[in-house]
Amino acid sequence: MGSILREWVGFQQFPAATQSKLVELFGKLKEKGVSALTILVMGKGGVGKSSTINSLIGERVVNVNAFSSEVSRPVMVSRTRAGFTLNIVDTPGLVEGGYVNYQALELIKRFLLNKTIDVLLYVDRMDAYRVDDLDKQIISAISDSFGKEILRKSLLVLTHAQLCPPDDLSYDVFPARRSEAVLKTIRAGSRMRARDFKDSAIPVGLVENSGRCNKNESDEKILPNGKAWIPSLVKEIIGVATNGNKSIVVDKKLLEGSESNDRGKVFIPLILGVQWLLVKWIQRAIRDDIAKGGKAF
Ligand SMILES: Nc1nc2c(ncn2[C@@H]2O[C@H](COP(=O)(O)OP(=O)(O)OP(=O)(O)O)[C@@H](O)[C@H]2O)c(=O)[nH]1
Ligand SMILES: [Mg+2]
Protein backbone atom coordinates (compact mmCIF):
# COMPACT_ATOMS: atom_id res chain seq x y z
CA MET A 1 0.00 0.00 0.00
CA GLY A 2 2.44 2.64 -1.20
CA SER A 3 5.11 1.50 1.23
CA ILE A 4 8.35 -0.20 0.40
CA LEU A 5 10.37 -1.69 3.21
CA ARG A 6 13.95 -0.64 2.72
CA GLU A 7 17.18 -0.69 4.62
CA TRP A 8 17.58 2.62 6.44
CA VAL A 9 20.57 3.93 4.50
CA GLY A 10 19.89 7.52 5.54
CA PHE A 11 20.83 6.53 9.07
CA GLN A 12 24.49 6.45 8.03
CA GLN A 13 24.17 10.06 6.88
CA PHE A 14 23.58 11.28 10.42
CA PRO A 15 26.65 12.55 12.30
CA ALA A 16 28.23 9.86 14.50
CA ALA A 17 27.03 11.61 17.68
CA THR A 18 23.41 11.52 16.46
CA GLN A 19 23.74 7.90 15.33
CA SER A 20 24.96 6.74 18.73
CA LYS A 21 22.14 8.60 20.54
CA LEU A 22 19.56 7.05 18.18
CA VAL A 23 21.04 3.55 18.56
CA GLU A 24 20.67 3.94 22.33
CA LEU A 25 17.07 5.18 22.05
CA PHE A 26 15.99 2.42 19.65
CA GLY A 27 17.84 -0.09 21.84
CA LYS A 28 15.67 0.95 24.81
CA LEU A 29 12.58 0.48 22.66
CA LYS A 30 13.69 -3.00 21.68
CA GLU A 31 14.25 -3.84 25.33
CA LYS A 32 10.58 -3.02 25.82
CA GLY A 33 9.71 -5.44 23.03
CA VAL A 34 8.92 -2.74 20.47
CA SER A 35 10.47 -3.51 17.10
CA ALA A 36 8.39 -1.21 14.89
CA LEU A 37 6.84 2.23 15.12
CA THR A 38 4.25 3.81 12.87
CA ILE A 39 4.16 7.57 12.93
CA LEU A 40 1.40 9.60 11.32
CA VAL A 41 2.27 13.16 10.32
CA MET A 42 -0.55 15.68 9.93
CA GLY A 43 -1.04 19.44 9.90
CA LYS A 44 -1.89 22.37 7.67
CA GLY A 45 -0.31 22.75 4.23
CA GLY A 46 3.24 24.00 3.95
CA VAL A 47 4.06 23.79 7.66
CA GLY A 48 6.98 21.43 7.05
CA LYS A 49 5.49 17.94 7.40
CA SER A 50 7.38 16.42 4.48
CA SER A 51 10.59 18.27 5.35
CA THR A 52 10.45 16.93 8.91
CA ILE A 53 10.06 13.37 7.58
CA ASN A 54 13.07 13.83 5.31
CA SER A 55 15.08 15.18 8.25
CA LEU A 56 14.06 12.27 10.48
CA ILE A 57 14.88 9.62 7.89
CA GLY A 58 18.06 11.37 6.78
CA GLU A 59 17.12 10.98 3.11
CA ARG A 60 14.92 12.90 0.72
CA VAL A 61 12.12 10.36 0.80
CA VAL A 62 9.16 12.67 0.16
CA ASN A 63 8.86 15.74 -2.01
CA VAL A 64 9.00 19.21 -0.58
CA ASN A 65 7.76 22.32 -2.31
CA ALA A 66 7.90 25.90 -1.12
CA PHE A 67 4.93 27.24 -3.05
CA SER A 68 2.53 24.42 -3.75
CA SER A 69 1.34 21.22 -2.23
CA GLU A 70 3.34 18.16 -3.25
CA VAL A 71 1.50 15.36 -1.52
CA SER A 72 -2.07 14.86 -2.68
CA ARG A 73 -2.54 11.53 -0.99
CA PRO A 74 -0.94 9.78 1.99
CA VAL A 75 2.41 8.06 1.46
CA MET A 76 4.04 5.61 3.82
CA VAL A 77 7.81 5.46 4.03
CA SER A 78 9.31 2.45 5.78
CA ARG A 79 12.90 1.98 6.81
CA THR A 80 14.45 -0.89 8.69
CA ARG A 81 17.68 -1.02 10.64
CA ALA A 82 19.05 -3.67 12.99
CA GLY A 83 15.68 -5.38 13.28
CA PHE A 84 13.83 -2.14 13.93
CA THR A 85 11.27 -0.75 11.47
CA LEU A 86 10.25 2.88 11.27
CA ASN A 87 7.09 3.65 9.28
CA ILE A 88 6.22 7.27 8.67
CA VAL A 89 3.05 8.37 6.93
CA ASP A 90 3.16 11.71 5.13
CA THR A 91 -0.20 13.30 4.40
CA PRO A 92 -1.63 16.18 2.39
CA GLY A 93 -2.30 19.46 4.22
CA LEU A 94 -5.55 19.48 6.16
CA VAL A 95 -6.67 22.91 4.99
CA GLU A 96 -8.02 23.68 1.54
CA GLY A 97 -9.20 27.13 0.52
CA GLY A 98 -9.43 28.30 4.11
CA TYR A 99 -11.51 25.34 5.29
CA VAL A 100 -10.75 22.02 6.93
CA ASN A 101 -10.31 19.44 4.19
CA TYR A 102 -12.50 16.63 5.53
CA GLN A 103 -12.01 14.72 2.30
CA ALA A 104 -8.25 14.60 2.87
CA LEU A 105 -8.86 13.36 6.40
CA GLU A 106 -11.15 10.62 5.09
CA LEU A 107 -8.51 9.66 2.55
CA ILE A 108 -5.88 9.42 5.29
CA LYS A 109 -8.15 7.24 7.40
CA ARG A 110 -8.86 4.90 4.49
CA PHE A 111 -5.16 4.68 3.71
CA LEU A 112 -4.49 3.69 7.32
CA LEU A 113 -7.05 0.86 7.37
CA ASN A 114 -5.66 -2.14 9.28
CA LYS A 115 -2.68 -0.12 10.45
CA THR A 116 -1.89 1.01 13.96
CA ILE A 117 -0.82 4.56 14.73
CA ASP A 118 1.73 4.64 17.51
CA VAL A 119 2.38 8.37 17.39
CA LEU A 120 0.75 11.36 15.71
CA LEU A 121 3.05 14.24 14.90
CA TYR A 122 0.86 17.32 14.67
CA VAL A 123 3.00 19.80 12.80
CA ASP A 124 2.72 23.58 12.85
CA ARG A 125 5.19 26.42 12.47
CA MET A 126 6.96 27.97 15.38
CA ASP A 127 7.38 31.27 13.57
CA ALA A 128 3.67 31.99 13.45
CA TYR A 129 2.30 34.37 15.98
CA ARG A 130 -1.40 33.65 16.07
CA VAL A 131 -3.73 30.72 16.41
CA ASP A 132 -7.27 30.95 15.09
CA ASP A 133 -10.54 29.12 14.86
CA LEU A 134 -9.35 27.11 11.89
CA ASP A 135 -6.61 25.53 14.03
CA LYS A 136 -9.29 24.55 16.51
CA GLN A 137 -11.46 23.10 13.75
CA ILE A 138 -8.56 20.99 12.44
CA ILE A 139 -8.08 19.41 15.86
CA SER A 140 -11.83 18.81 16.21
CA ALA A 141 -11.81 17.11 12.81
CA ILE A 142 -8.85 14.90 13.78
CA SER A 143 -10.34 13.91 17.11
CA ASP A 144 -13.78 13.26 15.60
CA SER A 145 -12.19 11.19 12.88
CA PHE A 146 -9.72 9.09 14.90
CA GLY A 147 -11.23 9.42 18.38
CA LYS A 148 -10.09 11.68 21.20
CA GLU A 149 -7.62 9.00 22.28
CA ILE A 150 -5.35 10.03 19.44
CA LEU A 151 -4.42 13.13 21.45
CA ARG A 152 -2.86 10.86 24.07
CA LYS A 153 -0.58 9.56 21.34
CA SER A 154 0.30 12.99 19.96
CA LEU A 155 3.35 15.15 19.84
CA LEU A 156 3.21 18.78 18.78
CA VAL A 157 6.03 19.53 16.36
CA LEU A 158 6.98 23.15 15.70
CA THR A 159 9.12 23.74 12.62
CA HIS A 160 11.19 26.79 11.68
CA ALA A 161 12.54 26.69 15.22
CA GLN A 162 15.75 28.52 14.36
CA LEU A 163 14.08 31.88 14.48
CA CYS A 164 14.82 35.27 15.92
CA PRO A 165 12.08 35.91 18.46
CA PRO A 166 10.37 39.29 18.55
CA ASP A 167 12.42 42.01 20.31
CA ASP A 168 10.67 41.73 23.63
CA LEU A 169 11.10 37.95 24.02
CA SER A 170 14.16 35.76 24.53
CA TYR A 171 14.64 32.45 22.70
CA ASP A 172 13.96 30.57 25.92
CA VAL A 173 10.56 32.19 26.31
CA PHE A 174 9.31 32.28 22.71
CA PRO A 175 8.94 28.51 21.99
CA ALA A 176 7.22 28.04 25.35
CA ARG A 177 4.72 30.83 24.63
CA ARG A 178 4.03 29.63 21.09
CA SER A 179 3.63 25.99 22.28
CA GLU A 180 1.29 27.14 25.03
CA ALA A 181 -0.90 28.99 22.50
CA VAL A 182 -1.07 26.01 20.10
CA LEU A 183 -1.68 23.53 22.93
CA LYS A 184 -4.52 25.70 24.22
CA THR A 185 -6.12 25.55 20.78
CA ILE A 186 -5.61 21.79 20.65
CA ARG A 187 -7.40 21.45 23.99
CA ALA A 188 -10.28 23.63 22.81
CA GLY A 189 -10.51 21.74 19.51
CA SER A 190 -10.48 18.35 21.22
CA ARG A 191 -13.29 19.50 23.54
CA MET A 192 -11.39 17.81 26.36
CA ARG A 193 -11.84 18.91 29.93
CA ALA A 194 -8.85 20.84 31.21
CA ARG A 195 -8.01 18.11 33.73
CA ASP A 196 -8.20 15.24 31.23
CA PHE A 197 -6.10 17.23 28.83
CA LYS A 198 -3.52 17.94 31.51
CA ASP A 199 -3.32 14.23 32.28
CA SER A 200 -2.58 13.43 28.68
CA ALA A 201 -0.02 16.29 28.43
CA ILE A 202 1.04 16.64 24.82
CA PRO A 203 4.81 17.07 24.58
CA VAL A 204 6.39 19.50 22.14
CA GLY A 205 9.28 18.89 19.74
CA LEU A 206 11.16 21.70 18.04
CA VAL A 207 12.46 21.24 14.50
CA GLU A 208 14.61 23.17 12.08
CA ASN A 209 14.59 21.60 8.63
CA SER A 210 16.56 24.27 6.87
CA GLY A 211 19.91 23.29 5.35
CA ARG A 212 21.18 26.46 6.98
CA CYS A 213 20.49 25.08 10.44
CA ASN A 214 23.36 25.74 12.85
CA LYS A 215 25.50 22.78 13.84
CA ASN A 216 27.52 21.88 16.92
CA GLU A 217 31.15 20.68 16.98
CA SER A 218 29.89 17.11 16.35
CA ASP A 219 28.16 18.31 13.16
CA GLU A 220 24.68 17.84 14.62
CA LYS A 221 21.93 20.30 13.68
CA ILE A 222 21.22 22.47 16.68
CA LEU A 223 18.63 25.03 17.74
CA PRO A 224 19.51 28.44 19.16
CA ASN A 225 19.33 26.86 22.63
CA GLY A 226 22.24 24.58 21.65
CA LYS A 227 20.16 21.36 21.61
CA ALA A 228 20.69 18.80 18.85
CA TRP A 229 17.07 18.55 17.73
CA ILE A 230 16.94 15.22 15.84
CA PRO A 231 17.82 13.02 18.85
CA SER A 232 15.59 15.20 21.07
CA LEU A 233 12.66 14.74 18.70
CA VAL A 234 13.20 10.98 18.46
CA LYS A 235 13.32 10.83 22.26
CA GLU A 236 9.98 12.66 22.47
CA ILE A 237 8.48 10.34 19.82
CA ILE A 238 9.59 7.27 21.77
CA GLY A 239 8.23 8.86 24.96
CA VAL A 240 4.78 9.14 23.37
CA ALA A 241 4.97 5.66 21.85
CA THR A 242 5.66 4.17 25.29
CA ASN A 243 3.46 6.45 27.42
CA GLY A 244 1.15 3.63 28.42
CA ASN A 245 -1.79 4.80 26.33
CA LYS A 246 -3.07 2.47 23.64
CA SER A 247 -1.99 2.98 20.05
CA ILE A 248 -4.79 3.82 17.63
CA VAL A 249 -5.97 0.85 15.62
CA VAL A 250 -7.60 1.96 12.39
CA ASP A 251 -10.14 -0.78 11.79
CA LYS A 252 -13.36 -0.95 9.81
CA LYS A 253 -15.37 0.22 12.80
CA LEU A 254 -13.31 3.41 13.09
CA LEU A 255 -13.44 3.89 9.33
CA GLU A 256 -17.20 3.75 9.23
CA GLY A 257 -17.44 5.99 12.26
CA SER A 258 -19.63 3.27 13.67
CA GLU A 259 -18.62 4.07 17.22
CA SER A 260 -20.85 7.11 17.34
CA ASN A 261 -23.60 5.33 15.39
CA ASP A 262 -23.46 2.42 17.82
CA ARG A 263 -23.96 4.78 20.71
CA GLY A 264 -27.18 5.95 19.07
CA LYS A 265 -28.30 2.40 18.30
CA VAL A 266 -28.47 1.57 22.01
CA PHE A 267 -31.44 3.92 22.34
CA ILE A 268 -33.43 2.48 19.42
CA PRO A 269 -35.20 -0.30 21.45
CA LEU A 270 -35.88 2.23 24.20
CA ILE A 271 -37.43 4.70 21.76
CA LEU A 272 -39.49 1.92 20.12
CA GLY A 273 -40.63 0.78 23.57
CA VAL A 274 -41.74 4.27 24.57
CA GLN A 275 -43.53 4.65 21.21
CA TRP A 276 -45.36 1.33 21.74
CA LEU A 277 -46.43 2.35 25.25
CA LEU A 278 -47.61 5.71 23.96
CA VAL A 279 -49.72 4.10 21.21
CA LYS A 280 -51.21 1.64 23.72
CA TRP A 281 -52.01 4.47 26.11
CA ILE A 282 -53.68 6.53 23.36
CA GLN A 283 -55.65 3.48 22.16
CA ARG A 284 -56.87 2.84 25.71
CA ALA A 285 -57.76 6.50 26.19
CA ILE A 286 -59.79 6.44 22.95
CA ARG A 287 -61.51 3.20 23.99
CA ASP A 288 -62.36 4.68 27.41
CA ASP A 289 -63.59 7.84 25.76
CA ILE A 290 -65.84 5.89 23.37
CA ALA A 291 -67.15 3.84 26.26
CA LYS A 292 -67.88 6.99 28.30
CA GLY A 293 -69.39 8.66 25.25
CA GLY A 294 -71.59 5.62 24.71
CA LYS A 295 -72.99 5.98 28.24
CA ALA A 296 -73.82 9.66 27.74
CA PHE A 297 -76.24 8.95 24.92
N1 LIG B 1 13.47 27.62 7.19
C1 LIG B 1 12.72 26.52 7.26
N2 LIG B 1 12.00 26.15 6.19
C2 LIG B 1 11.25 25.01 6.28
C3 LIG B 1 11.18 24.24 7.47
N3 LIG B 1 10.35 23.20 7.26
C4 LIG B 1 9.93 23.32 5.99
N4 LIG B 1 10.46 24.40 5.40
C5 LIG B 1 10.19 24.89 4.03
O1 LIG B 1 8.80 25.15 3.93
C6 LIG B 1 8.32 24.76 2.64
C7 LIG B 1 7.18 23.76 2.79
O2 LIG B 1 7.69 22.59 3.41
P1 LIG B 1 7.05 21.15 3.23
O3 LIG B 1 7.86 20.19 4.00
O4 LIG B 1 6.80 20.85 1.79
O5 LIG B 1 5.65 21.38 3.96
P2 LIG B 1 4.42 20.37 4.02
O6 LIG B 1 3.75 20.59 5.34
O7 LIG B 1 4.82 19.00 3.70
O8 LIG B 1 3.50 20.96 2.87
P3 LIG B 1 2.28 20.24 2.10
O9 LIG B 1 2.72 18.88 1.73
O10 LIG B 1 2.03 21.12 0.95
O11 LIG B 1 1.13 20.23 3.04
C8 LIG B 1 9.52 24.22 1.89
O12 LIG B 1 10.06 25.25 1.09
C9 LIG B 1 10.50 23.84 2.97
O13 LIG B 1 11.84 23.93 2.55
C10 LIG B 1 11.97 24.68 8.61
O14 LIG B 1 11.98 24.07 9.68
N5 LIG B 1 12.71 25.82 8.43
MG1 LIG C 1 4.20 17.72 2.20
Side-chain angles (χ1 to χ4, degrees):
M1 222 209 237
S3 94
I4 310 158
L5 196 66
R6 289 210 193 132
E7 192 62 28
W8 191 354
V9 286
F11 194 88
Q12 316 300 331
Q13 310 301 319
F14 291 131
T18 298
Q19 283 190 37
S20 61
K21 285 177 206 162
L22 296 185
V23 165
E24 195 187 325
L25 287 166
F26 291 134
K28 277 190 191 145
L29 255 188
K30 271 187 114 180
E31 272 168 31
K32 290 185 179 168
V34 182
S35 60
L37 275 189
T38 300
I39 301 168
L40 172 62
V41 182
M42 292 204 284
K44 289 179 283 194
V47 291
K49 299 180 294 297
S50 305
S51 305
T52 302
I53 294 172
N54 289 340
S55 297
L56 271 175
I57 303 265
E59 297 168 48
R60 198 185 163 89
V61 284
V62 281
N63 287 334
V64 165
N65 194 315
F67 304 108
S68 67
S69 194
E70 274 290 332
V71 177
S72 58
R73 50 186 58 248
V75 180
M76 181 148 113
V77 178
S78 300
R79 289 293 181 271
T80 171
R81 192 201 155 269
F84 179 80
T85 304
L86 186 64
N87 304 305
I88 310 190
V89 181
D90 194 12
T91 63
L94 289 179
V95 173
E96 184 77 45
Y99 295 96
V100 178
N101 188 350
Y102 291 94
Q103 230 176 333
L105 206 55
E106 204 49 42
L107 208 70
I108 296 168
K109 216 159 101 169
R110 276 176 203 287
F111 177 85
L112 291 167
L113 179 62
N114 299 328
K115 292 190 173 71
T116 299
I117 309 162
D118 298 306
V119 180
L120 165 67
L121 300 189
Y122 183 73
V123 185
D124 204 339
R125 290 175 66 141
M126 182 150 108
D127 63 340
Y129 300 90
R130 297 285 182 274
V131 282
D132 58 31
D133 204 56
L134 190 58
D135 295 296
K136 208 169 99 180
Q137 287 168 24
I138 298 168
I139 300 299
S140 297
I142 293 175
S143 81
D144 287 349
S145 192
F146 289 93
K148 268 185 196 161
E149 296 72 31
I150 197 160
L151 292 160
R152 299 186 196 281
K153 296 305 267 178
S154 299
L155 175 65
L156 170 63
V157 170
L158 298 176
T159 59
H160 296 251
Q162 185 177 268
L163 88 172
C164 278
D167 288 346
D168 53 334
L169 295 173
S170 72
Y171 189 83
D172 287 341
V173 174
F174 187 78
R177 294 277 285 275
R178 170 77 181 136
S179 311
E180 201 182 307
V182 181
L183 286 172
K184 215 168 149 189
T185 316
I186 294 179
R187 185 177 81 72
S190 69
R191 295 184 282 267
M192 259 193 187
R193 282 180 307 179
R195 210 188 56 209
D196 291 348
F197 191 77
K198 227 176 177 177
D199 289 346
S200 59
I202 296 179
V204 182
L206 304 184
V207 163
E208 178 50 71
N209 292 309
S210 169
R212 296 190 205 110
C213 184
N214 289 331
K215 291 179 176 171
N216 62 14
E217 64 285 354
S218 310
D219 207 33
E220 296 178 285
K221 287 180 170 181
I222 52 164
L223 300 178
N225 61 12
K227 268 196 183 168
W229 71 261
I230 291 180
S232 300
L233 183 66
V234 172
K235 194 174 174 193
E236 293 290 0
I237 290 173
I238 290 175
V240 173
T242 56
N243 68 5
N245 293 305
K246 277 201 199 111
S247 297
I248 309 300
V249 179
V250 184
D251 52 14
K252 254 186 141 178
K253 200 172 156 195
L254 187 77
L255 201 72
E256 286 157 10
S258 49
E259 234 173 294
S260 52
N261 293 344
D262 281 352
R263 240 177 276 142
K265 277 179 198 156
V266 171
F267 295 106
I268 292 175
L270 195 71
I271 293 165
L272 287 176
V274 170
Q275 268 181 350
W276 184 80
L277 282 174
L278 205 69
V279 168
K280 285 280 162 207
W281 181 77
I282 293 169
Q283 280 175 342
R284 212 166 68 199
I286 292 171
R287 246 185 281 123
D288 287 355
D289 210 38
I290 291 170
K292 268 188 219 155
K295 264 179 216 157
F297 286 103

